[in-house]
CSV table of all heavy atoms in Angstrom, one decimal:
chain,number,residue,atom,x,y,z
H,1,GLN,N,53.4,64.4,89.4
H,1,GLN,CA,53.4,63.5,88.3
H,1,GLN,C,54.1,64.0,87.0
H,1,GLN,O,54.2,63.3,86.1
H,1,GLN,CB,52.0,63.0,88.0
H,1,GLN,CG,51.4,62.2,89.1
H,1,GLN,CD,49.9,61.9,89.0
H,1,GLN,OE1,49.4,61.9,87.8
H,1,GLN,NE2,49.1,61.7,90.0
H,2,GLY,N,54.4,65.3,87.0
H,2,GLY,CA,55.0,65.8,85.8
H,2,GLY,C,54.2,66.6,84.9
H,2,GLY,O,54.5,67.1,83.8
H,3,HIS,N,52.8,66.9,85.2
H,3,HIS,CA,51.9,67.5,84.5
H,3,HIS,C,52.0,69.0,84.7
H,3,HIS,O,52.3,69.5,85.8
H,3,HIS,CB,50.5,67.0,84.8
H,3,HIS,CG,50.2,65.6,84.6
H,3,HIS,ND1,50.6,65.0,83.3
H,3,HIS,CD2,50.0,64.6,85.5
H,3,HIS,CE1,50.2,63.6,83.5
H,3,HIS,NE2,49.9,63.4,84.7
H,4,GLU,N,51.7,69.8,83.6
H,4,GLU,CA,51.5,71.3,83.9
H,4,GLU,C,50.1,71.5,84.1
H,4,GLU,O,49.1,71.1,83.3
H,4,GLU,CB,52.0,71.9,82.7
H,4,GLU,CG,51.8,73.5,82.7
H,4,GLU,CD,52.1,74.2,81.4
H,4,GLU,OE1,52.5,73.6,80.5
H,4,GLU,OE2,51.8,75.4,81.4
H,5,VAL,N,49.7,72.1,85.2
H,5,VAL,CA,48.4,72.4,85.6
H,5,VAL,C,48.1,73.9,85.6
H,5,VAL,O,48.8,74.7,86.2
H,5,VAL,CB,48.0,71.9,87.1
H,5,VAL,CG1,46.6,72.1,87.4
H,5,VAL,CG2,48.3,70.4,87.1
H,6,VAL,N,47.1,74.3,84.8
H,6,VAL,CA,46.7,75.7,84.7
H,6,VAL,C,45.3,75.8,85.3
H,6,VAL,O,44.4,75.3,84.8
H,6,VAL,CB,46.7,76.2,83.2
H,6,VAL,CG1,46.3,77.7,83.2
H,6,VAL,CG2,48.2,76.1,82.7
H,7,GLU,N,45.2,76.7,86.3
H,7,GLU,CA,43.8,77.0,86.9
H,7,GLU,C,43.3,78.3,86.4
H,7,GLU,O,43.8,79.4,86.7
H,7,GLU,CB,43.9,77.0,88.4
H,7,GLU,CG,42.6,77.0,89.1
H,7,GLU,CD,42.6,77.0,90.6
H,7,GLU,OE1,43.8,77.0,91.0
H,7,GLU,OE2,41.7,76.9,91.3
H,8,GLN,N,42.4,78.3,85.4
H,8,GLN,CA,41.8,79.5,84.9
H,8,GLN,C,40.4,79.2,84.2
H,8,GLN,O,40.1,78.3,83.7
H,8,GLN,CB,42.6,80.1,83.7
H,8,GLN,CG,42.3,81.4,83.2
H,8,GLN,CD,43.2,81.9,82.2
H,8,GLN,OE1,44.4,81.6,82.1
H,8,GLN,NE2,42.7,82.8,81.4
H,9,PHE,N,39.4,80.2,84.6
H,9,PHE,CA,38.1,80.0,84.1
H,9,PHE,C,38.0,80.8,82.7
H,9,PHE,O,38.6,82.0,82.6
H,9,PHE,CB,37.1,80.6,85.1
H,9,PHE,CG,35.7,80.7,84.4
H,9,PHE,CD1,34.9,79.6,84.3
H,9,PHE,CD2,35.2,82.0,84.0
H,9,PHE,CE1,33.7,79.6,83.8
H,9,PHE,CE2,33.8,82.0,83.4
H,9,PHE,CZ,33.1,80.8,83.3
H,10,TYR,N,37.4,80.3,81.7
H,10,TYR,CA,37.3,81.0,80.4
H,10,TYR,C,35.7,81.1,80.2
H,10,TYR,O,34.9,80.2,80.4
H,10,TYR,CB,37.8,80.2,79.4
H,10,TYR,CG,39.2,80.2,79.3
H,10,TYR,CD1,40.0,79.2,79.8
H,10,TYR,CD2,40.0,81.1,78.5
H,10,TYR,CE1,41.4,79.2,79.8
H,10,TYR,CE2,41.4,81.2,78.4
H,10,TYR,CZ,42.1,80.1,79.1
H,10,TYR,OH,43.4,80.1,79.0
H,11,GLU,N,35.3,82.4,79.7
H,11,GLU,CA,34.1,82.6,79.3
H,11,GLU,C,33.6,81.7,78.2
H,11,GLU,O,34.6,81.3,77.4
H,11,GLU,CB,33.9,84.1,78.9
H,11,GLU,CG,34.0,85.0,80.0
H,11,GLU,CD,32.9,84.9,81.2
H,11,GLU,OE1,31.8,84.4,80.9
H,11,GLU,OE2,33.2,85.3,82.2
H,12,PRO,N,32.3,81.5,77.9
H,12,PRO,CA,32.0,80.4,76.8
H,12,PRO,C,32.5,80.9,75.4
H,12,PRO,O,33.0,79.9,74.8
H,12,PRO,CB,30.5,80.5,76.8
H,12,PRO,CG,30.1,80.9,78.2
H,12,PRO,CD,31.2,81.7,78.8
H,13,ASP,N,32.6,82.1,75.1
H,13,ASP,CA,33.1,82.5,73.8
H,13,ASP,C,34.6,82.4,73.6
H,13,ASP,O,35.3,82.5,72.5
H,13,ASP,CB,32.7,83.9,73.4
H,13,ASP,CG,33.1,85.0,74.4
H,13,ASP,OD1,33.6,84.6,75.5
H,13,ASP,OD2,33.1,86.2,74.0
H,14,GLN,N,35.3,82.1,74.7
H,14,GLN,CA,36.8,82.0,74.7
H,14,GLN,C,37.2,80.6,75.0
H,14,GLN,O,38.3,80.2,74.7
H,14,GLN,CB,37.4,82.8,75.7
H,14,GLN,CG,37.1,84.4,75.7
H,14,GLN,CD,37.6,85.1,76.8
H,14,GLN,OE1,37.5,84.7,77.9
H,14,GLN,NE2,38.0,86.4,76.4
H,15,LEU,N,36.4,79.7,75.5
H,15,LEU,CA,36.7,78.4,75.9
H,15,LEU,C,37.3,77.5,74.8
H,15,LEU,O,38.3,76.8,74.9
H,15,LEU,CB,35.5,77.7,76.7
H,15,LEU,CG,35.7,76.3,77.2
H,15,LEU,CD1,36.9,76.3,78.3
H,15,LEU,CD2,34.5,75.7,77.6
H,16,GLY,N,36.5,77.4,73.7
H,16,GLY,CA,36.9,76.5,72.6
H,16,GLY,C,38.3,76.8,72.1
H,16,GLY,O,39.1,75.7,72.0
H,17,ALA,N,38.6,78.0,71.8
H,17,ALA,CA,40.0,78.3,71.4
H,17,ALA,C,41.0,77.9,72.4
H,17,ALA,O,42.1,77.5,72.2
H,17,ALA,CB,40.1,79.7,71.0
H,18,ALA,N,40.7,78.2,73.7
H,18,ALA,CA,41.6,77.8,74.7
H,18,ALA,C,41.9,76.4,74.9
H,18,ALA,O,43.1,76.0,75.3
H,18,ALA,CB,41.1,78.5,76.1
H,19,LEU,N,40.9,75.6,74.7
H,19,LEU,CA,41.1,74.1,74.7
H,19,LEU,C,42.1,73.5,73.8
H,19,LEU,O,42.6,72.4,74.0
H,19,LEU,CB,39.8,73.4,74.6
H,19,LEU,CG,38.7,73.7,75.7
H,19,LEU,CD1,37.5,73.1,75.4
H,19,LEU,CD2,39.3,73.1,77.1
H,20,ARG,N,42.4,74.2,72.7
H,20,ARG,CA,43.4,73.7,71.8
H,20,ARG,C,44.8,73.5,72.4
H,20,ARG,O,45.5,72.5,71.9
H,20,ARG,CB,43.6,74.6,70.6
H,20,ARG,CG,42.3,74.8,69.6
H,20,ARG,CD,42.7,75.5,68.4
H,20,ARG,NE,41.5,76.1,67.8
H,20,ARG,CZ,41.2,77.4,67.6
H,20,ARG,NH1,42.1,78.3,68.0
H,20,ARG,NH2,40.1,77.7,67.0
H,21,ASP,N,45.2,74.3,73.4
H,21,ASP,CA,46.5,74.2,73.9
H,21,ASP,C,46.6,73.3,75.2
H,21,ASP,O,47.4,73.2,75.8
H,21,ASP,CB,46.7,75.7,74.4
H,21,ASP,CG,46.7,76.7,73.2
H,21,ASP,OD1,47.2,76.2,72.1
H,21,ASP,OD2,46.4,77.8,73.5
H,22,PHE,N,45.5,72.5,75.4
H,22,PHE,CA,45.5,71.6,76.6
H,22,PHE,C,45.1,70.2,76.2
H,22,PHE,O,44.4,70.0,75.2
H,22,PHE,CB,44.5,72.0,77.7
H,22,PHE,CG,44.7,73.3,78.3
H,22,PHE,CD1,44.3,74.6,77.7
H,22,PHE,CD2,45.6,73.4,79.3
H,22,PHE,CE1,44.6,75.8,78.4
H,22,PHE,CE2,46.0,74.6,79.9
H,22,PHE,CZ,45.5,75.8,79.4
H,23,ASP,N,45.8,69.3,76.9
H,23,ASP,CA,45.6,67.8,76.6
H,23,ASP,C,44.4,67.3,77.2
H,23,ASP,O,43.6,66.5,76.8
H,23,ASP,CB,46.8,67.0,77.1
H,23,ASP,CG,48.1,67.3,76.4
H,23,ASP,OD1,48.3,66.8,75.3
H,23,ASP,OD2,48.9,67.9,77.0
H,24,ALA,N,44.1,68.0,78.5
H,24,ALA,CA,43.0,67.7,79.3
H,24,ALA,C,42.3,68.8,79.9
H,24,ALA,O,43.0,69.9,80.2
H,24,ALA,CB,43.2,66.7,80.4
H,25,VAL,N,40.9,68.8,80.2
H,25,VAL,CA,40.3,69.9,80.9
H,25,VAL,C,39.5,69.3,82.0
H,25,VAL,O,38.8,68.3,81.7
H,25,VAL,CB,39.4,70.8,79.8
H,25,VAL,CG1,38.4,70.0,79.2
H,25,VAL,CG2,38.7,71.9,80.7
H,26,VAL,N,39.5,70.0,83.1
H,26,VAL,CA,38.7,69.5,84.3
H,26,VAL,C,37.7,70.6,84.7
H,26,VAL,O,38.1,71.7,84.8
H,26,VAL,CB,39.6,69.2,85.5
H,26,VAL,CG1,38.8,68.8,86.7
H,26,VAL,CG2,40.8,68.2,85.3
H,27,VAL,N,36.5,70.2,84.6
H,27,VAL,CA,35.4,71.1,84.8
H,27,VAL,C,34.5,70.6,86.0
H,27,VAL,O,34.4,69.4,86.4
H,27,VAL,CB,34.4,71.3,83.7
H,27,VAL,CG1,35.4,71.8,82.4
H,27,VAL,CG2,33.8,70.0,83.2
H,28,ARG,N,33.7,71.5,86.6
H,28,ARG,CA,32.7,71.2,87.5
H,28,ARG,C,31.4,71.6,86.9
H,28,ARG,O,31.1,71.2,85.7
H,28,ARG,CB,33.0,71.8,88.9
H,28,ARG,CG,34.0,71.0,89.7
H,28,ARG,CD,33.7,71.1,91.3
H,28,ARG,NE,32.4,71.0,91.6
H,28,ARG,CZ,31.7,70.0,91.6
H,28,ARG,NH1,32.3,68.8,91.3
H,28,ARG,NH2,30.5,70.0,92.2
H,29,SER,N,30.6,72.3,87.5
H,29,SER,CA,29.2,72.6,87.0
H,29,SER,C,29.2,73.8,86.3
H,29,SER,O,28.3,74.1,85.3
H,29,SER,CB,28.1,72.5,88.0
H,29,SER,OG,28.4,73.5,89.1
H,30,LYS,N,30.0,74.8,86.6
H,30,LYS,CA,30.0,76.2,85.9
H,30,LYS,C,30.4,76.1,84.5
H,30,LYS,O,29.7,76.8,83.7
H,30,LYS,CB,31.0,77.1,86.7
H,30,LYS,CG,30.8,78.5,86.3
H,30,LYS,CD,31.6,79.5,87.1
H,30,LYS,CE,31.5,80.9,86.8
H,30,LYS,NZ,32.3,81.8,87.5
H,31,THR,N,31.4,75.4,84.1
H,31,THR,CA,31.8,75.4,82.8
H,31,THR,C,31.0,74.4,82.0
H,31,THR,O,30.9,73.3,82.4
H,31,THR,CB,33.4,75.0,82.7
H,31,THR,OG1,34.0,76.1,83.4
H,31,THR,CG2,33.8,74.9,81.3
H,32,LYS,N,30.4,74.9,80.8
H,32,LYS,CA,29.9,74.0,79.9
H,32,LYS,C,30.7,73.7,78.7
H,32,LYS,O,31.1,74.7,78.0
H,32,LYS,CB,28.5,74.6,79.5
H,32,LYS,CG,27.7,75.1,80.6
H,32,LYS,CD,27.1,74.1,81.5
H,32,LYS,CE,26.0,74.8,82.5
H,32,LYS,NZ,26.6,75.6,83.5
H,33,VAL,N,30.9,72.5,78.4
H,33,VAL,CA,31.7,72.0,77.1
H,33,VAL,C,30.7,71.6,76.2
H,33,VAL,O,30.3,70.4,76.3
H,33,VAL,CB,32.9,71.0,77.5
H,33,VAL,CG1,33.6,70.8,76.3
H,33,VAL,CG2,33.6,71.5,78.7
H,34,ARG,N,30.4,72.4,75.1
H,34,ARG,CA,29.5,72.1,74.1
H,34,ARG,C,30.1,71.7,72.8
H,34,ARG,O,31.3,71.9,72.6
H,34,ARG,CB,28.4,73.3,74.0
H,34,ARG,CG,27.6,73.5,75.3
H,34,ARG,CD,26.9,72.4,75.8
H,34,ARG,NE,26.1,72.6,76.9
H,34,ARG,CZ,25.6,71.7,77.8
H,34,ARG,NH1,26.0,70.4,77.6
H,34,ARG,NH2,24.9,72.1,78.8
H,35,ALA,N,29.3,71.3,71.8
H,35,ALA,CA,29.8,70.8,70.6
H,35,ALA,C,30.5,72.0,70.0
H,35,ALA,O,31.5,71.7,69.2
H,35,ALA,CB,28.5,70.4,69.7
H,36,ASN,N,30.0,73.2,70.1
H,36,ASN,CA,30.9,74.3,69.4
H,36,ASN,C,32.2,74.5,70.0
H,36,ASN,O,33.0,74.8,69.3
H,36,ASN,CB,30.0,75.7,69.5
H,36,ASN,CG,29.9,76.1,70.9
H,36,ASN,OD1,29.2,75.5,71.7
H,36,ASN,ND2,30.4,77.3,71.2
H,37,HIS,N,32.4,74.2,71.2
H,37,HIS,CA,33.7,74.3,71.9
H,37,HIS,C,34.6,73.2,71.4
H,37,HIS,O,35.8,73.4,71.1
H,37,HIS,CB,33.5,74.2,73.4
H,37,HIS,CG,32.8,75.3,74.0
H,37,HIS,ND1,31.8,75.0,74.9
H,37,HIS,CD2,32.8,76.7,74.0
H,37,HIS,CE1,31.2,76.2,75.2
H,37,HIS,NE2,31.8,77.2,74.6
H,38,ILE,N,34.0,72.0,71.2
H,38,ILE,CA,34.8,70.9,70.7
H,38,ILE,C,35.2,71.1,69.2
H,38,ILE,O,36.3,70.9,68.8
H,38,ILE,CB,34.1,69.6,70.8
H,38,ILE,CG1,33.7,69.3,72.3
H,38,ILE,CG2,34.6,68.4,70.1
H,38,ILE,CD1,32.6,68.2,72.7
H,39,ASP,N,34.3,71.7,68.5
H,39,ASP,CA,34.6,72.2,67.1
H,39,ASP,C,35.9,73.2,67.0
H,39,ASP,O,36.7,73.0,66.2
H,39,ASP,CB,33.4,72.7,66.3
H,39,ASP,CG,32.3,71.6,65.9
H,39,ASP,OD1,32.7,70.5,65.9
H,39,ASP,OD2,31.3,72.0,65.8
H,40,GLU,N,35.7,74.1,68.0
H,40,GLU,CA,36.8,75.1,67.9
H,40,GLU,C,38.1,74.5,68.4
H,40,GLU,O,39.2,75.1,68.1
H,40,GLU,CB,36.3,76.2,68.9
H,40,GLU,CG,35.2,77.2,68.4
H,40,GLU,CD,34.8,78.2,69.4
H,40,GLU,OE1,35.7,78.9,69.7
H,40,GLU,OE2,33.7,78.2,69.8
H,41,ALA,N,38.0,73.5,69.2
H,41,ALA,CA,39.3,72.8,69.7
H,41,ALA,C,40.0,71.9,68.7
H,41,ALA,O,41.1,71.4,69.0
H,41,ALA,CB,39.0,72.1,71.0
H,42,LYS,N,39.2,71.5,67.7
H,42,LYS,CA,39.7,70.5,66.8
H,42,LYS,C,41.0,71.0,66.1
H,42,LYS,O,41.3,72.2,65.9
H,42,LYS,CB,38.7,70.3,65.6
H,42,LYS,CG,37.5,69.4,66.0
H,42,LYS,CD,36.5,69.4,64.8
H,42,LYS,CE,35.4,68.5,65.3
H,42,LYS,NZ,34.4,68.4,64.1
H,43,GLY,N,42.0,70.1,65.9
H,43,GLY,CA,43.3,70.3,65.5
H,43,GLY,C,44.3,70.7,66.5
H,43,GLY,O,45.4,70.9,66.4
H,44,GLY,N,43.8,70.7,67.8
H,44,GLY,CA,44.6,71.0,68.9
H,44,GLY,C,44.9,69.7,69.7
H,44,GLY,O,44.8,68.6,69.1
H,45,LYS,N,45.2,69.8,71.0
H,45,LYS,CA,45.8,68.8,71.7
H,45,LYS,C,44.8,68.0,72.5
H,45,LYS,O,45.0,67.0,73.1
H,45,LYS,CB,46.9,69.4,72.8
H,45,LYS,CG,48.0,70.0,72.0
H,45,LYS,CD,48.8,70.8,73.1
H,45,LYS,CE,49.4,70.0,74.1
H,45,LYS,NZ,50.4,70.7,75.0
H,46,LEU,N,43.6,68.6,72.7
H,46,LEU,CA,42.5,68.0,73.6
H,46,LEU,C,42.1,66.5,73.4
H,46,LEU,O,41.7,66.2,72.3
H,46,LEU,CB,41.2,68.9,73.5
H,46,LEU,CG,40.2,68.7,74.6
H,46,LEU,CD1,40.7,68.9,76.1
H,46,LEU,CD2,38.9,69.2,74.5
H,47,LYS,N,42.4,65.8,74.5
H,47,LYS,CA,42.0,64.3,74.4
H,47,LYS,C,41.1,63.8,75.5
H,47,LYS,O,40.7,62.7,75.5
H,47,LYS,CB,43.4,63.5,74.4
H,47,LYS,CG,44.3,63.8,73.2
H,47,LYS,CD,45.5,62.9,73.4
H,47,LYS,CE,46.5,63.2,74.6
H,47,LYS,NZ,47.2,64.6,74.5
H,48,LEU,N,41.0,64.6,76.5
H,48,LEU,CA,40.4,64.2,77.8
H,48,LEU,C,39.5,65.3,78.4
H,48,LEU,O,40.1,66.4,78.6
H,48,LEU,CB,41.3,63.6,78.6
H,48,LEU,CG,40.8,63.2,80.1
H,48,LEU,CD1,39.8,62.0,80.0
H,48,LEU,CD2,41.9,62.8,80.9
């Protein structure tokens, strides 16, 4: 469909900063997306 897909796990202290560079993140149960990660991702591309 033309999307760039990156498969990589990030530790909790690295996740928020990493999310700035992605439009979307797909998680299952291992990854927790908490308020601090969303705060760290502000100003980036994350929409979904």
